[in-house]
Amino acid sequence: MKRKEIFVRYERCTGCRSCELACAVSHTAARNLFGALLGGERPQKRLYVDQVGRVKAPAVCRQCEEPPCVAVCITGAMHRREDGVNVVALPRCIGCWMCAMACPFGAVGRGEGKAVKCDRECLDEEGVPACVRACPTGALIFQTVEEFEAERRLAAAVSFR
């Protein structure tokens, strides 16, 4: 079975930040916004929506095969799990930000002095990440590389008609 990744259709992103909120809430003990806030939790997002001119761009971890964030981490906090997902072990992170500087996608953020990034710990019962589920325009999709490539090729072929 091929591993699925989170892909971005930039032309569909409106910058609503629903993905950021869903990501943050999915990583709380309460798993809902009001429960988290009432419980004193501070939800921490693991993806970031930026805007450059008129383009909105969700920066989500690409889960690189040879991740630069892992390569430069001097404490080993950034590491690759057995399932191939690149994660950060917060107790080992010293907040040097080498991982953030090395990430070409801007997918490593700051969370209370420690690096935070997508850890894929937010999958629902159907195996879909919270950010993808929350996106109202379908800008974020969860597919295999082959599925995404086929979709893009089809869209390109249709545009030439």
Side-chain angles (χ1 to χ4, degrees):
M1 185 171 151
K2 301 238 183 209
R3 190 172 93 182
K4 290 186 173 186
E5 302 296 339
I6 299 170
F7 291 98
V8 181
R9 296 174 180 147
Y10 294 100
E11 70 281 1
R12 291 188 179 191
C13 182
T14 63
C16 72
R17 300 183 185 270
S18 293
C19 56
E20 289 182 343
L21 183 60
C23 174
V25 169
S26 73
H27 285 86
T28 65
R31 295 269 198 211
N32 72 70
L33 181 58
F34 297 111
L37 295 176
L38 289 173
E41 293 185 77
R42 292 188 52 191
Q44 175 65 52
K45 63 186 177 183
R46 287 160 171 79
L47 81 143
Y48 312 89
V49 177
D50 295 312
Q51 184 167 346
V52 179
R54 302 181 105 183
V55 176
K56 283 83 173 180
V60 62
C61 181
R62 300 298 206 289
Q63 299 299 335
C64 303
E65 289 293 322
E66 295 182 29
C69 61
V70 170
V72 300
C73 183
I74 60 174
T75 66
M78 254 330 148
H79 63 282
R80 189 174 186 89
R81 290 190 316 221
E82 285 185 24
D83 64 358
V85 175
N86 305 314
V87 296
V88 60
L90 290 177
R92 296 179 72 181
C93 179
I94 60 171
C96 69
W97 313 115
M98 290 298 293
C99 53
M101 289 186 277
C103 179
F105 304 105
V108 179
R110 177 179 293 244
E112 298 182 23
K114 307 279 183 161
V116 292
K117 62 177 284 311
C118 179
D119 56 11
R120 300 281 170 85
E121 295 292 325
C122 61
L123 304 180
D124 65 13
E125 59 280 346
E126 295 173 21
V128 178
C131 59
V132 174
R133 172 82 61 202
C135 183
T137 63
L140 295 177
I141 54 175
F142 194 53
Q143 296 179 322
T144 65
V145 172
E146 293 78 12
E147 290 168 334
F148 185 73
E149 288 173 337
E151 184 180 283
R152 287 296 191 188
R153 283 193 301 272
L154 182 59
V158 170
S159 71
F160 286 114
R161 287 206 271 149

